[in-house]
Amino acid sequence: MAWKLHPPIGFPLRTKEWVVSLYVVFLLVGLIAVLVYGVMLYNELVTVKHNVTQAWSNIEVLLKQRHDELPKLVEVCKQYQRFEQETLQRVIEARAKVFDAQQRHSPAALGPAETSLRASLGNLFAVAEAYPELRANEQFLNLHSRISALESAISDRREFYNASVNINNVRIEQFPEVVVASMFDFPKRQPLRFAEREKSDVDVRALFAA
């Protein structure tokens, strides 16, 4: 008499439940992995955003220092009554525009304002060449040196800021970062650009021909 083996009662049901449980476990593990990866991407984008903010703050510190030095330079030049008043007025007006752009935290406005101020200062220092007593003034020389050093530092910080902006803008457009950036509204940032005329030589004769 042949014996037949029968599977235990309920075996197919338990197998199905085990498969479903395993599927649920894998699904949960996958969701957790996606969530952890999303959190990592979010934290990286936050770091990139704060790097841009810090780079801008570094520029603002230098702008503030130069902002405080410029009135001293103007006052020294005013001691020489024959000094071009129009030149000084241009510096004062350009200084105000830079300050306004800085207060608005606007790289788009700061770029042209900074270009105008640098051109005005270039004109001032060029005109000062015609005043030997002014060029020999120790306070004028110190301010000239101080302001020139600040402008060089601003240019260096601008390069670092623009590099940070570029990293930010590239990251928020890449996949999968673009998904996180759009969900949490990470914005593109504006680079800080100076006009090409900032680098051109000052034509004093043409400037005061009128």
Side-chain angles (χ1 to χ4, degrees):
M1 181 177 180
W3 292 91
K4 294 183 179 180
L5 297 176
H6 298 281
I9 298 175
F11 178 76
L13 182 59
R14 289 196 299 271
T15 301
K16 184 177 180 180
E17 290 176 351
W18 182 81
V19 171
V20 171
S21 299
L22 187 62
Y23 174 77
V24 171
V25 169
F26 278 121
L27 181 61
L28 289 175
V29 170
L31 290 175
I32 292 173
V34 170
L35 179 61
V36 170
Y37 185 60
V39 171
M40 292 174 59
L41 288 180
Y42 175 83
N43 290 337
E44 289 177 4
L45 290 179
V46 168
T47 299
V48 170
K49 182 182 74 172
H50 284 306
N51 286 342
V52 175
T53 302
Q54 182 60 49
W56 178 260
S57 297
N58 291 340
I59 293 176
E60 286 189 318
V61 169
L62 297 174
L63 291 175
K64 176 64 169 59
Q65 293 176 4
R66 189 187 58 185
H67 183 82
D68 295 339
E69 297 290 350
L70 290 177
K72 302 174 187 177
L73 178 67
V74 171
E75 287 303 316
V76 170
C77 293
K78 281 183 177 180
Q79 295 175 12
Y80 298 83
Q81 297 180 357
R82 293 178 300 146
F83 197 89
E84 298 284 354
Q85 296 302 307
E86 186 178 358
T87 302
L88 298 178
Q89 187 61 33
R90 281 196 175 98
V91 171
I92 294 171
E93 292 173 356
R95 172 179 177 265
K97 291 179 181 178
V98 169
F99 181 75
D100 177 68
Q102 178 188 346
Q103 292 297 106
R104 292 189 285 124
H105 303 285
S106 172
L110 181 59
E114 178 70 16
T115 299
S116 177
L117 178 56
R118 290 184 175 224
S120 298
L121 284 172
N123 292 334
L124 186 151
F125 292 134
V127 171
E129 293 295 319
Y131 297 83
E133 293 182 1
L134 177 59
R135 288 189 290 111
N137 185 296
E138 184 176 354
Q139 187 178 7
F140 175 82
L141 293 175
N142 289 337
L143 288 169
H144 187 179
S145 176
R146 170 72 172 154
I147 292 171
S148 297
L150 286 171
E151 289 193 333
S152 296
I154 291 170
S155 296
D156 292 339
R157 298 286 177 88
R158 178 187 67 137
E159 291 182 5
F160 180 73
Y161 168 79
N162 285 343
S164 300
V165 166
N166 183 63
I167 292 173
N168 177 83
N169 293 347
V170 170
R171 287 293 300 272
I172 66 174
E173 291 182 356
Q174 289 179 329
F175 184 83
E177 287 93 333
V178 65
V179 177
V180 178
S182 60
M183 289 177 59
F184 294 96
D185 195 24
F186 283 89
K188 290 188 68 175
R189 304 296 289 268
Q190 292 180 316
L192 177 57
R193 295 191 175 95
F194 299 159
E196 286 299 317
R197 68 188 182 93
E198 168 205 331
K199 303 174 183 178
S200 61
D201 294 333
V202 179
D203 188 351
V204 179
R205 182 176 301 176
L207 184 63
F208 298 109

